[in-house]
């Protein structure tokens, strides 16, 4: 078995132009984005998610949580949460998945 690495970046949401709930709302709010790997891993990989761009209102506290949830060999879900009076215009996330993949020397039944 070999170890494979897959990475990417995606805009999780953009709420500013449409006056979406992340930008206009208050209290607990959640946005998510489903990522599908180009090729599945042999088992559930380890996934790391981080924000590489966040655009937030300046007159409130910046409250944010981002995580990988529902991780499978085929993909996972990026989940962004905020709360209170925080105003979030948009968030872009980067992710990295590391897990087992087939090795070129593995025998495969035909």
């Amino acid at each position: 078995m070999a170890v494979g690495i897959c990475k990417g970046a995606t805009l999780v949401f953009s709420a500013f132009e449409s006056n979406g709930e992340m930008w206009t709302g208050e209290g607990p709010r959640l946005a998510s984005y489903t990522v599908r790997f180009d090729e599945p891993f042999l088992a559930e990989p380890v996934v790391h998610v981080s924000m590489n761009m966040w655009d937030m209102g300046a007159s409130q506290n910046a409250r944010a949580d981002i995580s990988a949830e529902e991780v499978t060999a085929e993909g996972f879900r990026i989940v962004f949460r905020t709360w209170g009076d925080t105003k979030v215009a948009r968030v872009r996330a980067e992710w990295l998945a590391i897990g087992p993949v087939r090795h070129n020397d593995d025998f495969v039944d035909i």
Side-chain angles (χ1 to χ4, degrees):
M1 199 176 337
V3 175
I5 299 173
C6 187
K7 70 176 190 163
T10 188
L11 185 67
V12 179
F13 68 89
S14 182
F16 180 75
E17 303 87 358
S18 64
N19 282 325
E21 183 182 24
M22 286 293 193
W23 183 245
T24 62
E26 291 193 5
R29 285 159 285 150
L30 177 146
S32 67
Y33 182 88
T34 300
V35 173
R36 293 282 165 226
F37 303 129
D38 290 338
E39 294 183 32
F41 288 89
L42 292 179
E44 178 182 304
V46 173
V47 177
H48 172 77
V49 177
S50 63
M51 286 187 285
N52 70 351
M53 186 273 296
W54 63 342
D55 183 3
M56 297 195 171
S59 61
Q60 303 84 14
N61 289 328
R63 300 174 185 93
D65 178 68
I66 195 163
S67 61
E69 297 184 4
E70 301 174 16
V71 178
T72 69
E74 290 80 30
F76 66 99
R77 193 166 68 114
I78 298 171
V79 179
F80 175 86
R81 291 179 174 87
T82 191
W83 56 95
D85 63 349
T86 299
K87 305 297 183 205
V88 186
R90 59 188 160 226
V91 166
R92 185 174 57 230
E94 285 198 19
W95 55 269
L96 178 69
I98 302 172
V101 294
R102 292 202 186 283
H103 189 277
N104 289 338
D105 292 339
D106 288 346
F107 289 104
V108 179
D109 291 338
I110 296 177

